[in-house]
Amino acid sequence: MLILGIESSCDETAASVVQDGRKLCSSVVATQIAEHRLYGGVVPEIASRRHIENIVGVTRAALDQAGVSLAQIDAVAATFAPGLIGALLAGLNFAKGLSYAAGKPLIAVHHLHGHIASLYLTYPELKPPFMALVVSGGHSQLVHVRDYTDFEVIGRAVDDAAGEAFDKVARTLGLPYPGGPEISKLAAGGDPNAYHLPLPHTDGQYDVSFSGLKTAVINLVNTAKMKGEEIDRAGLAASFEHRVVGMLANRLVQAADERGLPAAICGGVSVNGLLRHKTQELCGKRGISLYFPEKSLCGDNAAMIAAAGFYEYKPGQSAPLSQNAFANLEM
Ligand code: KG4
Ligand code: ZN
């Protein structure tokens, strides 16, 4: 079964063709990062406009690169939630039009189901159940993936998402958007013990909190500025990255161990080298297998949406043309 995936929830316009949820035939991503960087973060209005401008060309390129015509596609899968509402609507409405015009069923896909499905593209043999840490710019959730379409969220970030914390701390350190990769680069040359940052407390066993950590960094930088003191920027970035990664890796490995499941990481933050390394180390000690997506599939893309769509498709059924988009929606 060939599925055309469409993704437009944030600042990437993407289209992809995937066969049977596992084989990537093409994946085209038009990123708007350079433009949003001018403003220090994603500007929703600009994002929606660029999606509308780019979606046709990106989709055509995905079909061309896969060497198939629209007629050969079996279904269209599009992200309908969560994300920036205008951005989501641009991709979803395009997918609706395409589905109607070509007479193909429409599958409405939750963005975080998509991030989890990026693992199926990387590991053709991977099957649920497993414990997944989904870490992106907007979400941090610990999910017991019981089956392809059966998810239990057992922990979450109670305030800022992991990627959001990286982005905000980066801004404080004068680094451009998106902050995750910038913090990582700066931290590589720093001492992770340079600053003793707080270890935030959460009530839920598998919940995490990053807001206090972020505020601690902001206060440290502001106090140093007022006193005219130099900040060890690399040391601060390394101390922050270690704290965040430590919290995420510990929660994931604890949960996987407790439930006797393999572990997985996915989402934009899962490209982080320290997170991969630390989780691998902890899993190794406990004999837990660990999976993470190929780097090109960590950030937003449409291949993961097409892969999730394959598992969510019910023969004979199609999402209605009245299908709406939702900025916030539990998985
Ligand atoms: O999944 P994604 O592409 O978009 C959302 O669904 O939000 O995730 C983007 C997030 C951004 O916050 C970005 O700073 C973060 O992923 N990110 C990273 C790294 N690369 C991207 N965070 C930490 N380390 C990285 N190397
Ligand atoms: Zn995402």
Side-chain angles (χ1 to χ4, degrees):
M1 183 173 185
L2 278 181
I3 297 193
L4 171 68
I6 307 278
E7 155 64 35
S8 69
S9 65
C10 190
D11 56 353
E12 262 89 33
T13 316
S16 162
V17 177
V18 168
Q19 188 178 6
D20 298 332
R22 299 278 176 168
K23 186 173 172 276
L24 197 147
C25 306
S26 67
S27 178
V28 180
V29 180
T31 182
Q32 309 171 0
I33 283 179
E35 191 170 4
H36 295 294
R37 185 172 281 161
L38 300 173
Y39 307 95
V42 179
V43 182
E45 176 65 12
I46 293 178
S48 314
R49 284 168 187 259
R50 296 297 169 261
H51 286 311
I52 292 168
E53 287 164 9
N54 293 333
I55 192 73
V56 174
V58 164
T59 303
R60 195 160 278 151
L63 289 169
D64 286 351
Q65 285 179 23
V68 296
S69 66
L70 188 54
Q72 290 169 283
I73 293 291
D74 295 295
V76 180
T79 310
F80 78 107
L84 301 171
I85 194 67
L88 285 166
L89 283 169
L92 179 65
N93 283 339
F94 173 75
K96 281 191 208 173
L98 208 57
S99 140
Y100 182 69
K104 309 287 177 183
L106 174 72
I107 312 161
V109 174
H110 191 287
H111 184 75
L112 300 186
H113 293 185
H115 275 302
I116 290 170
S118 68
L119 294 156
Y120 304 135
L121 291 163
T122 307
Y123 303 94
E125 75 291 352
L126 175 66
K127 292 187 172 75
F130 53 88
M131 185 63 67
L133 172 70
V134 189
V135 268
S136 70
H139 299 85
S140 304
Q141 303 199 339
L142 199 51
V143 187
H144 181 161
V145 182
R146 294 183 177 280
D147 207 340
Y148 291 107
T149 57
D150 185 3
F151 307 93
E152 182 195 359
V153 177
I154 67 163
R156 64 185 72 237
V158 296
D159 36 54
D160 293 356
E164 196 179 351
F166 269 101
D167 294 341
K168 288 179 178 169
V169 164
R171 202 180 305 166
T172 305
L173 291 175
L175 298 167
Y177 170 83
E182 299 292 332
I183 293 270
S184 233
K185 257 187 265 165
L186 182 61
D191 170 12
N193 297 312
Y195 292 90
H196 185 76
L197 297 174
L199 189 59
H201 169 81
T202 46
D203 291 334
Q205 185 189 2
Y206 293 122
D207 289 343
V208 286
S209 162
F210 297 117
S211 153
L213 198 55
K214 172 198 72 187
T215 308
V217 174
I218 294 173
N219 288 344
L220 233 147
V221 172
N222 288 344
T223 309
K225 262 187 203 155
M226 281 188 314
K227 291 185 179 167
E229 288 171 4
E230 274 294 306
I231 279 275
D232 170 10
R233 292 171 76 253
L236 188 52
S239 304
F240 171 76
E241 190 184 35
H242 269 75
R243 263 285 183 265
V244 173
V245 162
M247 282 197 284
L248 292 172
N250 280 321
R251 297 290 192 290
L252 169 63
V253 178
Q254 253 176 34
D257 203 10
E258 194 158 281
R259 298 202 176 192
L261 297 169
I265 329 175
C266 55
V269 182
S270 69
V271 80
N272 183 282
L274 186 68
L275 180 61
R276 288 177 173 222
H277 175 77
K278 182 81 190 153
T279 318
Q280 208 148 31
E281 191 181 271
L282 293 176
C283 281
K285 280 188 192 151
R286 302 198 201 192
I288 297 171
S289 334
L290 174 67
Y291 300 89
F292 32 68
E294 182 185 306
K295 290 195 171 168
S296 62
L297 296 172
C298 290
D300 290 345
N301 64 85
M304 66 185 200
I305 302 303
F310 174 77
Y311 292 104
E312 285 169 22
Y313 174 61
K314 293 188 188 72
Q317 287 185 24
S318 171
L321 287 177
S322 58
Q323 175 69 54
N324 208 347
F326 301 93
N328 297 300
L329 187 75
E330 291 293 315
M331 68 157 70

